[in-house]
Amino acid sequence: MVALTLPDGRVRRYDGALSGAEAASDIGSGLAKAALAVRVNGDLRDLSCELEEDAEISVVTLKDDDELVLDLLRHDAAHVLAEAAKELYPGIQVTIGPAIADGFYYDFSREEPFTPEDLEAMEARMHEIVDRDEKVVREVWERDAAVELFKSMGEHYKAEIISEIPEGEPITLYRQGDFIDLCRGPHLPSTGRLGHAFKLTKLAGAYWRGDARNEMLQRVYGTAWRNDKELRGYLHRLEEAERRDHRRLGRELDLFHFQEEAAGMPFWHPRGWTLYRTVEAYMRRRLEDAGYVEVKTPQLVDRALWEASGHWEKFRENMYTSESEERIFALKPMNCPCHVQIFNQGVKSYRELPLRMAEFGSCHRYEPSGSLHGLMRVRGFVQDDAHIFCTDDQINSETRRFCDLLMGIYRDFGFEEVQARFSDRPEVRAGSDETWDKAEGALRDAVEEAGIAYTLNPGDGAFYGPKLDFELTDAIGRRWQCGTLQVDFVLPERLDAEYVGEDGVRYRPVMLHRAILGSFERFIGILVEQYAGGFPLWLAPVQVAVTTITRDGDEFAGKVAERLESAGLRVTLDTSAEKINYKVRLHSHAKVPVIVAVGKREAEDGSVSIRRLGSREQQSLALDEAVVRLSEEARAPGA
RNA sequence: GCCGGAUUAGCUCAGUGGUAGAGCAGCUGAUUUGUAAUCAGCAGGCCGGCGGUUCGAAUCCGCCAUCCGGCUCCA
C-alpha cells in the first residue's frame, strides 16, 4: 500500500509502487499532460521516479510560480545546449552546465574558439532538439563503469567529476537521444517540454573550477523562461539596464569621460563635477552633524609607513610607486595608516574617544585591466572614509550610530532597501577569542538594534577583525555593496596607537574602518543608473532651463535666470532662435528637471510657465512664487 | 592577468583590396515660433597605434593599446 498526500490534503491510496507520471495521470489527464516533475516530501524528482512509500507529493507544472521550475527548465536547457554542441562539434568536451539567475550556462573544452555564428548555430540546433522531443531517461551507473564510459568518449572532465563524487552517492546519468550526461537531475521527461522560450546570449572564457591556474574553458550563456512573454520581459529588462548604463549616460549627459592615457581614472566634466560636489557637500554636512572631524592626508607616502602598516607585504601588487631622492614612495591605496599618524600626534586621553576621523581620501590602486568598468571599478577614486578610534566597550554604540547614519543617507539618495552581511572570525586571525567574542557580539547587536536585515557570512571576516557589509537595492532590483564597517585590532598595534585611560595607564584603541558610499566614483555611477540620469532636483547638475518662446521674452528670461541663480539654483539660459518645441526636446533629453518657458505673455505679467521633466503639464506661476518654490524644493536633505 | 569580440567624424553607425559615407550634433544664414526635431548652406576623418603582405590596405596578417562581455581578483 502506498498513500500519497496531495497539496490539498486529499490522500490517494495505491496497491503498489508507481511512478510520478502514473500518479499524475491518476489525478487527472490534464495534469499528466502538464506535468514536468514531482515534488516528493519537498524534494524535486523526475516524473519517472518510483513512489514506493507514503509521501506528500505535488505535481510540478509550468504554472507553479516557483524559482525551482525555472531552475528545472534552465538545467534542461543547459543539457540541450550540450547535446547541440556535441552534435555540431565532434571532439568537444562537455564539463558542467548549471542553472543560474535568469538562465544557464555550459562550459566546454575545445581547441577552436566559438564565434557568434556558432552561437546561432547551436541555438538553432537546440530548437531542433526540442522539436525532436527526445525522451530523457535516468540511469544509475556503477562508478567504474561510468568513468570508463566517459573516458571512452574522450570526456575527461566528466570522468574527473565522477571520481570526486563521494562514495555511497549514486552515479546518475541522463540520456536523451544519442546524448548522455552525468547529472544529479532531476530533469524534464522529454526535451520537447523545454519549449522554445530560450536564447543563447553570450560567449565568455571561464577557468575550469574557477581557478586561474586551470584551463580556460569556453562558456556559453543562455536564458530560458516558461514562455515567450517571460522571455520578452527578461530581454526588456536587459534593455532597461542598458538604457540606464552610467557609461552611456555619462557621455550623453556630459558628466565625465575616460581616455586611454589614464585608463580607470575619470575626467570629470563640469556637469559631472557639479554632481560630485553636491554629493560631497551633502556628505560633509551629514558627517559634521554625526560628530566626525575631517582631515586630509598625503597622497604619496614613503614605503616605510606601508611596511609598518603591513600594506607593503599584503597589498604591494596593487600599489603604484614612485621614486625620488633615492626613496620609494607609494600612492596611498588606503587612508588608515595616515589617520593613525594624526591620532598619534600628542597624547590622547580616553576623554577624546570615540574619535571619528573622516577623510574624502583620494586613493589609487592598480586593478587588473580586465576588471575596470566605467565608474564602478576604477584605479583612482575617492573614498568617503573614516576611522573611529574607540574602546572595546564603544564598538556597539559606535556601530549602532553608524548604522543609523548609513540608513539615513541611503534613504536621502532614494534607496529604501538595505541588507547587511555579517562576517565573523576566519580560521587565520589576529587577537584572542575573547576579543573576537566581544567584537562580534557588539556588531550583531548593533545591526539588530538598527533594524537592518542581515545574513551571516561565517568565517569571512578579515584576519584583523569582524565586519559588516551593507548592500543597497536599486530601482531595477540590482544589489550594490557600498557601505562597510570593519573592526580592526591589528593596525593600532602595528602603528602603535594608544590613549591614556582613566587610571593613567596606556591602552590600545580599537579602530573601526567605515565607509557609506564606498567611493564617490562608484556611488555616483550607481546614482546615475538608479535615476537613469533623471536626478531629483537637489542632485541635478542643471536644475532649471530657462527658455524663451519669442524674442519678446529675452530680457525677462535673463531676469528670471538671474533671480533663480541668486536663489542658489543651477540654471541654464536658452535664448536661441529655435522653436519652443525644439528647446523642450533638447532640455528634456539633457534631463533637466525643470523647464521654465518665457514668452510675450509672461514678460508682460511677470510670470513663468513651468514644465517638469517627463510631464506634459504646464504650471503658470508668478516669478516671485516660482523662485521661492523651486529653491525650497531644490534644497539638499539636511541643508 | 586570462578567453572571446570590438575600435571609421563629437555621437550612432554604413562601407570585404582600387580617390572615405549617412543621420544627429557643430558652425553660418534665414525663420520669431506657446511646450519633445523650422529651413538652407558650410565645415568636420593619420579609418586606435606600430610593423608586415600587396602595384595598391579602413578592408588581409602580426604585435601593442583601449573599450565591451565574461573568468580570476577585489586584504
Side-chain angles (χ1 to χ4, degrees), chain A residues 360-376:
Chain A
F360 297 140
S362 178
C363 296
H364 290 80
R365 295 182 192 172
Y366 170 76
E367 301 288 352
S369 56
S371 65
L372 299 178
H373 182 91
L375 292 175
M376 302 302 189

Side-chain angles (χ1 to χ4, degrees), chain A residues 51-71:
Chain A
L51 302 168
E52 293 166 338
E53 290 170 13
D54 293 0
E56 287 183 17
I57 70 158
S58 63
V59 177
V60 176
T61 69
L62 276 188
K63 289 222 176 75
D64 292 20
D65 187 23
D66 189 328
E67 279 298 307
L68 275 174
V69 178
L70 282 171
D71 283 352

Side-chain angles (χ1 to χ4, degrees), chain A residues 241-300:
Chain A
E242 160 104 22
R243 191 178 72 79
R244 289 169 177 262
D245 191 313
H246 75 284
R247 295 165 299 187
R248 169 205 184 98
L249 287 167
R251 184 173 56 236
E252 287 175 2
L253 302 179
D254 198 17
L255 301 178
F256 58 84
H257 84 271
F258 288 91
Q259 63 187 53
E260 53 183 89
E261 288 83 352
M265 294 179 246
F267 289 73
W268 287 101
H269 296 195
R271 287 183 182 198
W273 190 242
T274 298
L275 174 59
Y276 184 111
R277 284 192 300 126
T278 304
V279 172
E280 187 185 54
Y282 164 81
M283 287 302 288
R284 181 166 280 132
R285 212 162 41 234
R286 294 301 304 252
L287 290 173
E288 268 173 26
D289 292 348
Y292 286 75
V293 290
E294 186 178 331
V295 299
K296 191 79 184 169
T297 59
Q299 304 284 302
L300 215 47

Side-chain angles (χ1 to χ4, degrees), chain A residues 237-250 252-253 376 415 474-478 480 524-534 591:
Chain A
R237 287 202 298 284
L238 286 188
E239 281 168 27
E240 176 65 16
E242 160 104 22
R243 191 178 72 79
R244 289 169 177 262
D245 191 313
H246 75 284
R247 295 165 299 187
R248 169 205 184 98
L249 287 167
E252 287 175 2
L253 302 179
M376 302 302 189
F415 302 103
D474 75 8
I476 55 172
R478 294 174 302 184
W480 303 93
I524 288 170
I526 294 168
L527 277 181
V528 170
E529 303 205 354
Q530 162 81 358
Y531 291 110
K591 310 218 187 227

Side-chain angles (χ1 to χ4, degrees), chain A residues 299 332-335 361-365 379-383:
Chain A
Q299 304 284 302
K332 68 175 172 187
M334 297 177 201
N335 308 298
S362 178
C363 296
H364 290 80
R365 295 182 192 172
R379 286 175 173 160
F381 55 95
V382 177
Q383 294 177 316

